[in-house]
Amino acid sequence: MAATGLRMGVVGGSIAGCAMAIAGSRAGADVTVYERSTGELQDRGLGIVIPPPLHEQLVATGYLDAAMPTAPVATRVWLTRQPGQRSAREFARQPSPVTPCNWGLLWRALRAKADSARYYRGRPVTSVERTASGHALVRAAGAEESYDIVVGADGHRSLTRHVLAPGLSPSPAGYMVWRGALPLSALDGHQRQLELLRSAWITIGYPGGHGIFYLIPRGGGAGPDERLLAYAVYAKPPAPEPGDPQELAPYVREIADEHFPPEWADIVARGEHTSMVCHPVTDLHAPRSADPPFLLAGDAAGVTRPHTASGAVKALQDALCLEEALRGSASPAEALRHYARERTAEGARLMELGRRLGGAQVERTPDWTAMDQEAVDTWCRATLAGSTSYLYGGVR
Ligand SMILES: Cc1cc2nc3c(=O)[nH]c(=O)nc-3n(C[C@H](O)[C@H](O)[C@H](O)COP(=O)(O)OP(=O)(O)OC[C@H]3O[C@@H](n4cnc5c(N)ncnc54)[C@H](O)[C@@H]3O)c2cc1C
């Protein structure tokens, strides 16, 4: 079926929303995107890692422009503090090809490719519902529109998900992630760390958590080779927890001071962040990612723990799957059933993988000081439990 004439509404115009809009338009649908935010989403300058083959596929199929800057590296380096000392010890190195992107640049690149869709900014959807004729009704800004298909790409608090999975709510993992981006001036005087980051992404293990560091394109009009340092740090929050997790943002510096080798603690402490967020880590998986005429994409369909680095990846793969399903099915309902079969299973797999990685790398951390290359490879294999992850491509 070419989806010519099919009317597709998309709730949410972020990574998943723009990717789904491209998918629908490429398959021939007439697409309308409703985005609640009035601001520029490209301002979210955090790091996103995607697998190199997916990046190549997205460029080859026209979802992304080849000119979008990326900062690829092929190795993962594991560090911890020397036993009984503060200095850093490298204890393992694994092949791990990744394509780090700047979240804002990725959004902007997808948004540009979604230009044949109608994109309404500052237009929150207030409700979606199924009509007696099997269509989907979208209400926004006091008006209502009927669609053949409605995509819920409205993030982890998705309103669309309530139609498919009423009452589903995220399960807290019991720990938090601090996510930031720093100008490279934070690495002034740390030439060895900068050189390492130019060829590898770094994991620093400590009791009760770990931190990830990698370079991303700077964005914001800078040249394609200019970089920011992105990090994600995982740990349990201090007690008592404040009502607003953002109040805990400065706590990342205490974690770094207490647990990181001093040069890495210094980098986190001295940087004037360009972006900084912290929030609880949760698990969420909708038991059905589509039920005609609705389907869910990206975080609306499920949130996996960030250790899998797969939220945006899943959203992009959701879009590729929708395009294929629309092109290859006899009706929109058949296309959505095809989508549900493939994407529900993948969401469940990633949530399980995220739980295992979180268990091994935060909830029950090993004695990092006792780890060596062989111990890391064995421990990674056990954590993966036969599952695949592009981050662990070299671990067999
Ligand atoms: C620490 C951390 C590290 C990560 N690292 C990676 C990584 O390396 N690789 C990776 O692939 N992923 C990563 N992710 C995940 C990734 O950031 C998200 O999965 C992805 O950005 C989700 O995109 P989305 O479009 O589904 O949701 P969102 O970006 O949340 O977008 C939802 C959109 O819907 C809009 N919206 C909501 N409600 C309405 C409404 N009622 N009407 C209209 N609009 C609405 C919102 O304004 C928003 O723009 C990471 C996440 C974290 C927390």
Side-chain angles (χ1 to χ4, degrees):
M1 171 193 78
T4 314
L6 186 93
R7 283 170 52 78
M8 179 169 133
V10 181
V11 187
S14 176
I15 299 285
C18 288
M20 294 306 259
I22 301 171
S25 301
R26 284 171 56 86
D30 179 59
V31 180
T32 302
V33 179
Y34 298 85
E35 169 51 47
R36 177 178 59 194
S37 163
T38 46
E40 289 294 336
L41 300 184
Q42 71 224 36
D43 293 343
R44 302 176 188 173
L46 292 161
I48 286 286
V49 172
I50 65 175
L54 176 64
H55 177 249
E56 283 158 26
Q57 185 183 5
L58 293 167
V59 169
T61 49
Y63 280 71
L64 285 180
D65 197 318
M68 182 188 82
T70 61
V73 291
T75 306
R76 179 177 194 175
V77 168
W78 297 77
L79 303 176
T80 193
R81 273 197 194 164
Q82 291 277 18
Q85 298 173 35
R86 284 180 58 85
S87 52
R89 178 176 74 95
E90 179 181 325
F91 60 94
R93 214 167 245 254
Q94 293 170 321
S96 179
V98 291
T99 303
C101 311
N102 176 311
W103 195 102
L105 291 180
L106 179 62
W107 176 78
R108 203 187 313 184
L110 291 166
R111 173 74 189 88
K113 292 287 184 180
D115 58 349
S116 44
R118 247 168 262 104
Y119 187 101
Y120 295 127
R121 217 164 55 165
R123 188 80 62 98
V125 168
T126 50
S127 72
V128 294
E129 70 184 59
R130 205 185 299 269
T131 67
S133 63
H135 287 82
L137 210 57
V138 170
R139 289 199 184 82
E144 47 181 55
E145 284 289 335
S146 165
Y147 294 97
D148 301 302
I149 292 179
V150 162
V151 177
D154 41 352
H156 66 287
R157 292 206 180 98
S158 170
L159 158 153
T160 320
R161 190 175 60 236
H162 291 306
V163 182
L164 276 79
L168 186 71
S169 58
S171 322
Y175 58 91
M176 294 186 53
V177 58
W178 284 259
R179 224 179 155 189
L182 300 163
L184 280 203
S185 55
L187 285 147
D188 284 353
H190 294 298
Q191 199 53 35
R192 281 185 54 202
Q193 286 66 36
L194 179 58
E195 273 164 30
L196 193 58
L197 284 159
R198 294 225 184 261
S199 63
W201 62 284
I202 313 298
T203 302
I204 300 179
Y206 50 87
H210 69 283
I212 303 283
F213 289 82
Y214 54 103
L215 298 185
I216 60 169
R218 186 177 175 91
D225 297 326
E226 292 191 45
R227 300 283 181 255
L228 290 175
L229 173 63
Y231 69 76
V233 171
Y234 299 89
K236 284 211 160 92
E241 277 184 60
D244 176 5
Q246 285 315 309
E247 285 178 34
L248 284 176
Y251 184 65
V252 70
R253 293 186 173 164
E254 288 181 43
I255 300 171
D257 269 348
E258 189 177 346
H259 295 299
F260 287 7
E263 56 279 23
W264 292 94
D266 186 39
I267 290 164
V268 175
R270 74 153 77 143
E272 287 293 323
H273 286 72
T274 57
S275 300
M276 167 91 206
V277 291
C278 68
H279 53 84
V281 172
T282 59
D283 297 308
L284 179 77
H285 170 61
R288 278 185 303 185
S289 55
D291 184 13
F294 295 103
L295 74 150
L296 301 173
D299 283 7
V303 180
T304 57
R305 299 192 193 184
H307 321 293
T308 58
S310 66
V313 169
K314 182 161 68 70
L316 296 164
Q317 290 168 335
D318 288 343
L320 293 170
C321 178
L322 178 66
E323 182 185 342
E324 184 194 292
L326 287 174
R327 288 185 189 277
S329 306
S331 67
E334 186 187 318
L336 267 54
R337 282 193 289 271
H338 169 124
Y339 178 91
R341 271 193 307 278
E342 281 197 16
R343 301 316 291 161
T344 309
E346 178 62 359
R349 184 187 81 81
L350 286 169
M351 190 179 71
E352 275 315 303
L353 178 62
R355 281 188 169 150
R356 283 202 302 279
L357 292 173
Q361 296 183 20
V362 184
E363 295 166 88
R364 297 174 298 281
T365 46
D367 176 3
W368 301 101
T369 60
M371 301 287 267
D372 60 12
Q373 182 74 49
E374 196 184 333
V376 171
D377 289 342
T378 307
W379 171 76
C380 287
R381 271 196 299 276
T383 306
L384 292 173
S387 186
T388 55
S389 163
Y390 72 97
L391 295 176
Y392 296 81
V395 180
R396 291 277 175 263

